[in-house]
Amino acid sequence: MSSSSAAIRNKLERLRESIRRYDYAYYVLDDPDVPDAEYDRALRELQALEEQYPDLVAPDSPTQRVGIRPETEFREVRHLVPMLSLDNAFSDTELSDFDRRVRDKLQRAGVVTEEVEYVAEPKLDGAAVSLIYEKGVLACGATRGDGRQGEDITHNLRTIAAVPLRLRGRTPPVRLEVRGEVFMPKAGFEEYNRGALKRGDKAFVNPRNAAAGSLRQLDARLTARRPLDVFFYGLGFCEGMSVPKSQREILGLLYELGFKTCPEWKVTVGFLGCLAYYDNIRVKREKLPYEIDGVVYKVNSGHLQDILGSVSRAPRWAIAHKFPAQEELTVIRNIEFQVGRTGALTPVARLAPVFVGGVTVSNATLHNMDEITRKDVRIGDTVIVRRAGDVIPEVVKVVVARRPPRARRVRLPKACPVCGSDVIRAEAEAVARCVGGLYCAAQRKEAILHFASRKAMDIEGVGKKLVDQLVEQDLVKNPADLYELTQSQLEGLERMGEKSAVNIVSALENSKETTLPRFLYALGIREVGEATALALAEHFASLDELMSAGEDDLTTVPDVGPIVAAHVRAFFQERHNQDVIMELLNHGVHWPREQPTSASANAILAGKTFVLTGALESLTRDEAKERLIALGAKVTGSVSKSTDVVVAGENPGSKLDKARELGIETWDEARLLSTLPRGT
Ligand code: JCF
């Protein structure tokens, strides 16, 4: 045997061994080792290599089975019609290729179609199921398995409220097989995981594994406690009923029979129509209450589907257009501690740069020391990083099998990495803090950034890069120093032209006219967010009164408890803070004496609770919120029985559904604008 063929055998065996291990973790343990993207790469590499060396294909190679059937304690059931899976398109080009193949094949069959009509819907990230109804009654439900036979999970499916136990309508078909995707909505997943951690149980790494794992419980009472939902998208076997002639009619029929279908589905025309749908869903993705990993397009016409037919495991008339992977593998090069505004030390993983969720990521948050311990993250580890939407990338888990012998644990530093002050971790608290306060440059920077931020003093142009320079060059030590900056000082800074300097000086000048709630929020008092700042401003007649209030006084303010009161009191007692406030006022920071208050009973929206959802056209949500509050309304984040009005903009999402469910009044933007008088 030549050495090169030995090397190839070796490589093949290594790939097969990895894939077997991934399969076991994924299918049997419901706890995958590596991200899907990595799995797909390994499988494709193995397939390519085996294609190149067909005589080295082993009968037990993971490529030799389509779909994997785990060893199971469940009864096996044969699907009446095989469950197909979907081919993937990972780029616009691959989608365009698919559309061309469809048109070519139809043309060769003598069908003239300019553009093909498709039905598009989001591709849910859950577990595929097939259900059989006998004379309208749920008789059997199964997992996809290998596509020909799956596991009998009827007992578990029965616990899902959205699975009809009986079909709607008077004359049910003799036998009907329906296909759908069971999933765990994002909110339920997060809530479930929070509970699991509290109980000391294992959390699920993602909603898909949560759904698959929940369906494979032996005890249906456990499944019943999991927040599962389901959308149906197709038919299998039909007897005693005529089969609809298009995908759109199938979805319509499913709906009439009482099955939930994804409300986002649409008929699209041609490649460009599909692309437009894809872009639209990608933008909506974060707001959807469930995880999706792409969109599915199906040729709408059943007749055309028949002409196109299927290859081994996937139809030629459908394709899944995937979003870029949100999870990837990379290596932790180092773990450093960042110091925040309140001195909290946050461990941050410095990563070997990796393309994930559409961007290159080189940092990921590790939240706090407890998290590091729980996930057992060490420097040198290979980890799964996840970047979903615009949230900060995070380390999902360590691939322990790839841990190098020299992987190093991290310890909480005893001294602040920025200023050298002591680091204290209070008993039973997850966060460790630098005690340096405004002596610490990191805390100074964050305090100034917060002061200038949009919801605080709203000083445009004062961002991270500028504040870093201002603090490092000792031009600004506290927020009040900002107002002493001159145009020429600013022009002397890096990346600062005359125009930017002029703009910043005028932004600073403009910011001096503010409101008391904004000012209080801008001070950055611990535990005082926007809502508390507003409550404090409404309760006290003046800043002086607030500054001299005792804790007893403070706790009479709505929503202010002893902890917040102590923080407020301590802040105003601090000499340094008093000085900064005086300086700010001396620089001309001011606000109207009379705040419009929600406490005044004659405010037109006094006592009304509003929820805003979706994008408004003529104003931002923050502006709408501020103006509603000015009229006496309370604005909250989630819809409940105590909500009075839900204002829905573009793409409102689940809050609107909830409002309708609860019969709460809903307003569109026009109705909102007609209520807000000009100038509020
Ligand atoms: O949402 C899904 N995961 C999904 C999967 C949607 C579909 O319309 C599907 C599917 C798998 C196969 N359609 C087929 C034919």
Side-chain angles (χ1 to χ4, degrees):
M1 182 167 49
S2 74
S3 66
S4 73
S5 97
I8 287 155
R9 274 168 210 277
N10 211 322
K11 170 105 200 156
L12 280 167
E13 213 24 67
R14 273 211 321 276
L15 280 167
R16 287 172 187 153
E17 200 37 54
S18 300
I19 294 170
R20 279 187 202 110
R21 210 186 60 234
Y22 300 159
D23 277 344
Y24 179 75
Y26 186 107
Y27 289 101
V28 180
L29 306 179
D30 289 316
D31 185 18
D33 265 354
V34 294
D36 292 354
E38 180 69 13
Y39 181 91
D40 291 344
R41 268 194 299 273
L43 192 63
R44 274 198 303 265
E45 193 180 350
L46 178 60
Q47 277 164 343
L49 215 53
E50 289 184 345
E51 231 163 78
Q52 212 180 334
Y53 301 98
D55 49 321
L56 295 184
V57 176
D60 66 343
S61 172
T63 55
Q64 298 308 296
R65 54 176 169 192
V66 268
I68 285 99
R69 235 174 328 115
E71 284 174 35
T72 178
E73 316 215 19
F74 299 95
R75 193 173 66 90
E76 306 256 304
V77 285
R78 244 192 131 64
H79 300 306
L80 300 176
V81 169
M83 270 183 101
L84 298 174
S85 57
L86 295 166
D87 276 339
N88 291 319
F90 292 102
S91 65
D92 296 355
T93 318
E94 287 181 23
L95 176 65
S96 144
D97 292 346
F98 162 78
D99 177 58
R100 171 145 349 91
R101 282 198 303 277
V102 167
R103 280 181 296 131
D104 286 353
K105 181 141 179 138
L106 292 176
Q107 205 151 47
R108 269 182 275 122
V111 185
V112 255
T113 32
E114 279 288 287
E115 292 287 5
V116 179
E117 199 176 72
Y118 295 98
V119 169
E121 64 180 346
K123 180 166 186 294
L124 279 119
D125 216 1
V129 295
S130 180
L131 292 90
I132 296 171
Y133 289 80
E134 311 258 7
K135 299 204 189 74
V137 177
L138 175 63
C140 180
T143 61
R144 193 184 103 83
D146 65 1
R148 303 180 157 280
Q149 49 185 2
E151 299 164 308
D152 183 347
I153 51 162
T154 317
H155 60 301
N156 290 337
L157 286 169
R158 278 181 194 286
T159 69
I160 303 175
V163 168
L165 300 179
R166 180 179 289 277
L167 301 181
R168 292 173 63 88
R170 252 171 305 175
T171 44
V174 179
R175 202 140 52 136
L176 180 69
E177 198 178 30
V178 297
R179 267 77 200 260
E181 188 89 359
V182 170
F183 59 94
M184 191 177 280
K186 289 174 188 169
F189 168 75
E190 275 152 29
E191 194 179 315
Y192 179 82
N193 266 357
R194 273 198 298 276
L197 289 179
K198 264 196 212 132
R199 291 190 303 272
D201 290 350
K202 220 167 137 188
F204 285 113
V205 295
N206 59 44
R208 186 206 33 226
N209 289 286
S214 302
L215 284 181
R216 298 185 64 247
Q217 289 291 335
L218 288 172
D219 183 348
R221 283 171 304 183
L222 296 178
T223 311
R225 281 189 223 137
R226 307 282 171 87
L228 296 175
D229 204 344
V230 59
F231 286 149
F232 293 89
Y233 56 74
L235 298 179
F237 185 82
C238 294
E239 185 184 332
M241 180 191 82
S242 58
V243 180
K245 291 189 170 38
S246 67
Q247 174 63 15
R248 130 190 240 161
E249 285 164 70
I250 288 177
L251 291 173
L253 172 74
L254 284 170
Y255 188 79
E256 275 168 30
L257 292 173
F259 294 103
K260 238 169 131 166
T261 51
C262 179
E264 307 293 334
W265 74 266
K266 255 201 173 79
V267 175
T268 57
V269 178
F271 164 66
L272 288 177
C274 291
L275 217 51
Y277 180 83
Y278 179 84
D279 286 337
N280 185 29
I281 291 292
R282 205 179 38 184
V283 171
K284 255 185 163 173
R285 181 183 191 182
E286 250 182 289
K287 291 205 203 102
L288 291 176
Y290 40 81
E291 290 270 355
I292 61 174
D293 61 353
V295 303
V296 181
Y297 314 107
K298 292 176 182 170
V299 170
N300 185 27
S301 154
H303 172 60
L304 299 186
Q305 287 182 6
D306 291 341
I307 293 173
L308 290 161
S310 299
V311 283
S312 62
R313 52 192 280 267
R316 273 194 290 248
W317 43 264
I319 197 156
H321 189 188
K322 303 289 277 279
F323 296 131
Q326 290 187 318
E327 292 187 354
E328 277 293 352
L329 281 186
T330 190
V331 172
I332 297 196
R333 289 180 173 165
N334 199 5
I335 295 175
E336 292 171 11
F337 288 82
Q338 258 172 13
V339 183
R341 177 164 60 86
T342 60
L345 262 63
T346 306
V348 178
R350 307 290 179 207
L351 308 169
V354 60
F355 191 74
V356 54
V359 300
T360 300
V361 163
S362 40
N363 300 300
T365 179
L366 289 163
H367 301 291
N368 54 53
M369 286 310 292
D370 287 347
E371 184 93 347
I372 293 186
T373 310
R374 190 167 62 74
K375 290 182 177 163
D376 189 17
V377 181
R378 306 183 194 178
I379 298 168
D381 267 338
T382 294
V383 294
I384 301 179
V385 281
R386 177 177 174 80
R387 180 186 178 270
D390 287 329
V391 301
I392 305 167
E394 60 173 356
V395 171
V396 177
K397 68 180 278 185
V398 173
V399 183
V400 179
R402 298 201 191 179
R403 173 168 286 162
R406 300 171 328 288
R408 209 151 44 81
R409 285 198 173 85
V410 277
R411 259 185 293 168
L412 182 68
K414 292 196 164 49
C416 170
V418 176
C419 72
S421 301
D422 287 349
V423 168
I424 303 278
R425 183 173 171 182
E427 198 86 30
E429 256 211 68
V431 241
R433 286 198 163 81
C434 158
V435 300
L438 291 178
Y439 169 75
C440 177
Q443 293 182 57
R444 260 191 337 257
K445 285 178 184 173
E446 295 300 326
I448 292 162
L449 263 177
H450 173 78
F451 181 82
S453 66
R454 205 166 41 80
K455 292 175 181 175
M457 300 299 279
D458 194 16
I459 311 171
E460 208 172 313
V462 179
K464 183 160 166 37
K465 294 242 163 65
L466 177 64
V467 171
D468 281 353
Q469 291 188 69
L470 293 173
V471 171
E472 276 156 28
Q473 299 184 24
D474 243 356
L475 289 169
V476 171
K477 292 194 202 60
N478 63 50
D481 293 344
L482 283 173
Y483 292 104
E484 281 174 29
L485 287 170
T486 63
Q487 186 187 327
S488 66
Q489 275 177 323
L490 287 164
E491 274 175 33
L493 298 173
E494 249 173 69
R495 313 221 255 152
M496 181 71 60
E498 182 186 333
K499 184 141 183 280
S500 320
V502 170
N503 287 343
I504 288 173
V505 170
S506 90
L508 280 162
E509 196 52 41
N510 292 336
S511 74
K512 289 179 184 173
E513 182 175 335
T514 187
T515 66
L516 183 55
R518 274 178 178 274
F519 181 76
L520 292 177
Y521 173 67
L523 292 176
I525 306 166
R526 285 259 308 267
E527 305 290 335
V528 176
E530 278 179 285
T532 308
L534 182 65
L536 290 169
E538 281 171 355
H539 187 267
F540 293 94
S542 67
L543 178 62
D544 282 343
E545 231 174 83
L546 168 60
M547 287 178 71
S548 52
E551 285 178 41
D552 289 348
D553 255 353
L554 288 162
T555 46
T556 62
V557 178
D559 293 331
V560 173
I563 294 176
V564 179
H567 283 307
V568 173
R569 175 87 180 132
F571 182 92
F572 289 120
Q573 291 245 291
E574 173 75 52
R575 182 61 199 272
H576 169 84
N577 293 333
Q578 295 170 4
D579 291 346
V580 170
I581 290 170
M582 278 317 294
E583 280 174 48
L584 286 167
L585 300 181
N586 288 339
H587 282 300
V589 171
H590 67 283
W591 50 87
R593 285 286 129 213
E594 272 307 301
Q595 293 292 323
T597 85
S598 60
S600 79
N602 51 16
I604 63 170
L605 299 178
K608 295 268 189 225
T609 300
F610 279 68
V611 172
L612 299 166
T613 175
L616 300 172
E617 220 164 67
S618 53
L619 67 179
T620 67
R621 255 203 265 179
D622 284 332
E623 284 163 354
K625 180 174 170 185
E626 204 165 299
R627 292 172 67 178
L628 285 167
I629 289 170
L631 295 176
K634 196 168 150 194
V635 179
T636 66
S638 60
V639 179
S640 72
K641 274 181 291 193
S642 51
T643 306
D644 294 295
V645 179
V646 171
V647 180
E650 275 295 300
N651 298 327
S654 63
K655 287 178 191 173
L656 183 59
D657 299 339
K658 179 110 188 257
R660 294 200 172 126
E661 227 167 78
L662 296 174
I664 290 164
E665 187 173 346
T666 61
W667 289 7
D668 60 10
E669 183 164 352
R671 173 80 175 78
L672 173 70
L673 292 175
S674 71
T675 305
L676 298 173
R678 263 179 292 263
T680 59

